[in-house]
């Protein structure tokens, strides 16, 4: 089945530094990928929609200059958290749309636990 | 996108059948119903998807009444490893660029 690989699985960084998270579709091409953030005991919140070859679309309240998204190929989307602060500590998850039994579904990466100290 | 409502939490004993119901009163004609499972510190995993009546796969069944305003995920003979959060999502599955909106999900705890 479709696999979305997300790296790193966890990262600890110092305040003020930048962190890049990669999301790869391993056995299919993903024109559209999505980035979510999840705080402890809460649901997933959509941050942005990443489209290959074009600018990402951000949800209301998400700072596009802080969360840089690049979708340069049909198999790779990256999320860069710039000038990270402790409040950016969260679980970040990517997903890609997949075609299954004549319907579109969504396959998720394993997530990245970001801790900013 | 239709909003969904699920119980916040449920407990069940091992070996029992668990039914989790989701309400989606504003479901549109083209919307499908999809359930995902999420373990701690992992991404959600697809469980099952359906449009109407009943769908069954190797892990679960999905029951959808004729009016489609609700759906029930049925997990047969649960085990401790089924402890997770279960999300019900409703959306159009004819395109691959629709944004998914996650509700609160149902935190299922299996008791030994």
């Amino acid at each position: 089945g479709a696999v979305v690989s997300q790296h790193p699985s966890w990262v600890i960084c110092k305040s003020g530094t930048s962190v890049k998270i990669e999301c790869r579709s391993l056995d299919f091409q993903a024109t559209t990928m999505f980035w979510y953030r999840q705080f402890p005991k809460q649901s997933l919140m959509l941050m942005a929609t990443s489209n290959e070859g074009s600018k990402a679309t951000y949800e209301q309240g998400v700072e596009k200059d802080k969360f840089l998204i690049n979708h340069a190929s049909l198999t790779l989307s990256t999320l860069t958290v710039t000038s990270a602060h402790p409040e950016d500590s969260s679980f970040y998850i990517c997903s890609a749309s997949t075609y299954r039994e004549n319907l579109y579904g969504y396959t998720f990466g394993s997530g990245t636990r970001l801790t900013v100290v | 996108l239709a909003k969904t409502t699920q119980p916040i939490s449920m407990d069940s004993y091992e070996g029992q059948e668990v039914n989790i119901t989701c309400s989606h009163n504003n479901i549109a004609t083209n919307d499908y119903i999809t359930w995902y499972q999420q373990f701690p510190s992992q991404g959600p995993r697809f469980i099952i998807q359906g449009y109407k009546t009943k769908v069954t796969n190797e892990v679960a069944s999905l029951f959808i009444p004729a009016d489609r305003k609700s759906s029930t995920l049925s997990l047969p003979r649960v085990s401790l490893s089924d402890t997770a959060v279960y999300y019900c999502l409703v959306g159009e599955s004819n395109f691959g660029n629709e944004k998914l909106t996650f509700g609160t999900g149902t935190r299922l705890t299996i008791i030994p």
Side-chain angles (χ1 to χ4, degrees):
Chain A
V3 176
V4 172
S5 175
Q6 187 173 342
H7 292 280
S9 56
W10 61 270
V11 58
I12 302 174
C13 72
K14 291 184 177 180
S15 246
T17 61
S18 296
V19 173
K20 180 185 284 188
I21 302 170
E22 291 189 350
C23 181
R24 294 181 184 273
S25 56
L26 294 188
D27 49 1
F28 66 100
Q29 294 181 331
T31 305
T32 303
M33 288 187 176
F34 304 87
W35 287 95
Y36 296 83
R37 180 167 53 183
Q38 186 175 33
F39 293 106
K41 303 292 186 183
Q42 294 187 23
S43 185
L44 284 77
M45 294 186 338
L46 180 66
M47 300 175 65
T49 302
S50 166
N51 296 296
E52 186 268 336
S54 63
K55 291 184 179 180
T57 304
Y58 291 81
E59 295 300 300
Q60 189 173 8
V62 178
E63 300 175 58
K64 62 180 180 180
D65 294 331
K66 180 171 185 61
F67 299 99
L68 300 179
I69 291 174
N70 184 283
H71 194 157
S73 77
L74 287 172
T75 59
L76 174 64
S77 177
T78 60
L79 167 68
T80 301
V81 183
T82 62
S83 187
H85 291 286
E87 56 265 31
D88 298 324
S89 297
S90 187
F91 191 55
Y92 293 86
I93 308 169
C94 68
S95 76
S97 60
T98 54
Y99 201 57
R100 177 193 295 116
E101 296 176 359
N102 298 321
L103 291 173
Y104 279 100
Y106 298 86
T107 299
F108 291 80
S110 55
T112 298
R113 173 78 56 195
L114 170 64
T115 302
V116 184
V117 297
Chain B
L1 295 171
K3 182 180 177 181
T4 59
T5 303
Q6 304 172 231
I8 296 294
S9 64
M10 290 179 67
D11 295 338
S12 179
Y13 288 98
E14 270 191 297
Q16 291 190 332
E17 177 184 81
V18 172
N19 296 308
I20 306 174
T21 297
C22 177
S23 296
H24 28 80
N25 292 317
N26 297 323
I27 189 168
T29 303
N30 294 332
D31 285 343
Y32 282 73
I33 301 152
T34 310
W35 285 79
Y36 290 87
Q37 175 192 54
Q38 186 183 26
F39 296 113
S41 296
Q42 293 187 29
R45 184 176 72 101
F46 172 89
I47 301 176
I48 198 166
Q49 183 179 67
Y51 184 81
K52 62 180 179 181
T53 62
K54 176 183 175 182
V55 179
T56 297
N57 61 22
E58 62 275 10
V59 297
S61 294
L62 178 60
F63 298 92
I64 305 169
D67 66 4
R68 305 202 323 123
K69 293 183 182 298
S70 67
S71 60
T72 299
L73 173 72
S74 181
L75 304 174
R77 297 182 298 281
V78 293
S79 64
L80 294 177
S81 62
D82 292 315
T83 294
V85 178
Y86 293 82
Y87 293 97
C88 159
L89 284 89
V90 172
E92 189 167 348
S93 292
N94 291 329
F95 304 98
N97 58 357
E98 183 179 10
K99 300 186 292 186
L100 293 182
T101 300
F102 283 79
T104 59
T106 298
R107 187 171 299 274
L108 175 65
T109 302
I110 306 303
I111 305 166

